[in-house]
Amino acid sequence: MSQGVLAIAEQVDGVFRKVTYEALSEGKRIAGSLGCDLTAVVLGSDVENISKGLGKYGADRILVADNTALKEYMTDAYTNVIADIIGKENPAVVILGATAVQGRDLSASLSARLNAPLAMECVEIRVENDKLIATRPMYGGKIMSEVALEGKPRIVATRPNAMAVAESAGAGSIEQLDVDTGKTVLQFVEKKMETGKIELTEADVVVSGGRGMGGSDYSVVEKLAELLGGAVGASRSAVDEGWRPHSDQVGQTGKVVSPNLYIASGISGAIQHLAGMSSSKVIVAINKDSEAPIFSKADFGIVGDLFEVLPLVTEEIKKLKG
Ligand SMILES: Cc1cc2nc3c(=O)[nH]c(=O)nc-3n(C[C@H](O)[C@H](O)[C@H](O)COP(=O)(O)OP(=O)(O)OC[C@H]3O[C@@H](n4cnc5c(N)ncnc54)[C@H](O)[C@@H]3O)c2cc1C
């Protein structure tokens, strides 16, 4: 199947998202199995300088589409440009991060445009007998399915935090592309983002609070999250109560997170919440009900009142950090 692997980088305001390095590292590994090159694609405005660094993550070539019309992610402009690049490059595999702000939308749009197979939210990818096989969750994470993709190019969108970042030298030669954003119907108006906030799906540590928080004062959760350099998450109940914004919601109808450490406090462990966090590497549950279902998913459980436990944990970590 080998014709090269194309990894689509994702940047926001000139900074690559961590998932870009994950997609490139995984792309390099797949390219190694297929015996072909890895080509990175960067879209944006004024992005040539930042693109140079992608060789460090295995990119042999880096195609840069620098155009003011590409400054912000827009489905139709990005799809037009990348579909064009795919047409010229004819890659066997296209890999990108399944992010809420870009990758999920873009991969679905490319799949529809190119009539190409897509595996979304992949947590593992391998090449077996010249077949590309992706492991992805189904039914809200209740099962892991293995799908063999057929057709071309095979598009794989990787779950943020699921793939390891590995540095491996690629030639990293930059090629500037002349791009035509084509016919677009969407127009960028305004971006509303909370600055300085760690993106939930990319955080190494997530400290979440549910209905057990009893109100919008999340300071015990926020203090621990800050100390651990992590992000704050919430259950849907907490979001429905208006205690946290929807962007913090973890679960089936919220975000899917795979941090190294997930701390669920005052969260019962409903299946819809588990769908969003069960692939976390280590799960710690704090709940005053020893029968709460979350404990069956947790690696470590603390039965107690979160308003007593969280400050104690925070103090102990402060001491450990000196
Ligand atoms: C279609 C659909 C989609 C959904 N999508 C999502 C989703 O994306 N994300 C999501 O989270 N839910 C989702 N839900 C809702 C889900 O079913 C649960 O209702 C929700 O997850 C419960 O939130 P909770 O655990 O915070 O609240 P509860 O189930 O009410 O649990 C609160 C927990 O806090 C504990 N507690 C209370 N006080 C304290 C204290 N002081 N200290 C320690 N523990 C305490 C209690 O013992 C209890 O276990 C969805 C539901 C449906 C039908």
Side-chain angles (χ1 to χ4, degrees), residues 1-216:
M1 78 162 105
S2 167
Q3 283 279 0
V5 175
L6 205 72
I8 301 169
E10 182 171 335
Q11 55 84 27
V12 179
D13 295 335
V15 179
F16 287 118
R17 302 190 63 169
K18 186 175 157 230
V19 75
T20 293
Y21 305 124
E22 294 168 6
L24 276 163
S25 305
E26 193 60 15
K28 185 67 174 179
R29 209 181 51 74
I30 297 167
S33 305
L34 295 174
C36 62
D37 279 355
L38 172 69
T39 301
V41 178
V42 184
L43 271 63
S45 178
D46 271 335
V47 284
E48 178 167 349
N49 252 341
I50 57 162
S51 303
K52 288 175 187 153
L54 298 183
K56 200 167 113 188
Y57 299 94
D60 298 295
R61 293 161 66 220
I62 302 158
L63 309 180
V64 180
D66 219 317
N67 191 304
T68 46
L70 299 171
K71 186 170 184 338
E72 304 293 343
Y73 173 68
M74 298 294 289
T75 310
D76 52 1
Y78 271 55
T79 304
N80 291 344
V81 170
I82 296 172
D84 211 25
I85 294 171
I86 290 173
K88 288 177 186 139
E89 294 286 321
N90 195 20
V93 178
V94 174
I95 187 165
L96 70 171
T99 58
V101 285
Q102 179 174 317
R104 281 163 168 261
D105 184 63
L106 181 60
S107 53
S109 174
L110 285 170
S111 168
R113 172 75 64 88
L114 303 167
N115 197 21
L118 162 66
M120 188 71 88
E121 288 277 336
C122 303
V123 294
E124 213 180 288
I125 303 162
R126 66 177 196 277
V127 177
E128 206 174 275
N129 300 328
D130 220 30
K131 276 197 171 139
L132 191 73
I133 299 172
T135 306
R136 58 177 303 272
M138 283 176 74
Y139 304 117
K142 268 191 186 160
I143 61 160
M144 285 292 171
S145 66
E146 286 196 341
V147 288
L149 287 91
E150 285 179 10
K152 211 176 163 202
R154 294 149 170 87
I155 305 176
V156 280
T158 64
R159 175 179 279 187
N161 269 348
M163 307 292 177
V165 174
E167 292 189 10
S168 59
S173 61
I174 298 257
E175 293 170 39
Q176 277 281 4
L177 302 177
D178 264 340
V179 290
D180 177 8
T181 52
K183 189 168 165 277
T184 58
V185 291
L186 300 171
Q187 209 185 348
F188 177 76
V189 180
E190 190 192 352
K191 180 163 65 180
K192 284 187 181 165
M193 278 179 83
E194 289 178 63
T195 49
K197 199 176 159 189
I198 297 171
E199 164 55 31
L200 190 57
T201 55
E202 294 189 348
D204 256 352
V205 177
V206 174
V207 187
S208 281
R211 198 192 295 280
M213 297 301 298
S216 60

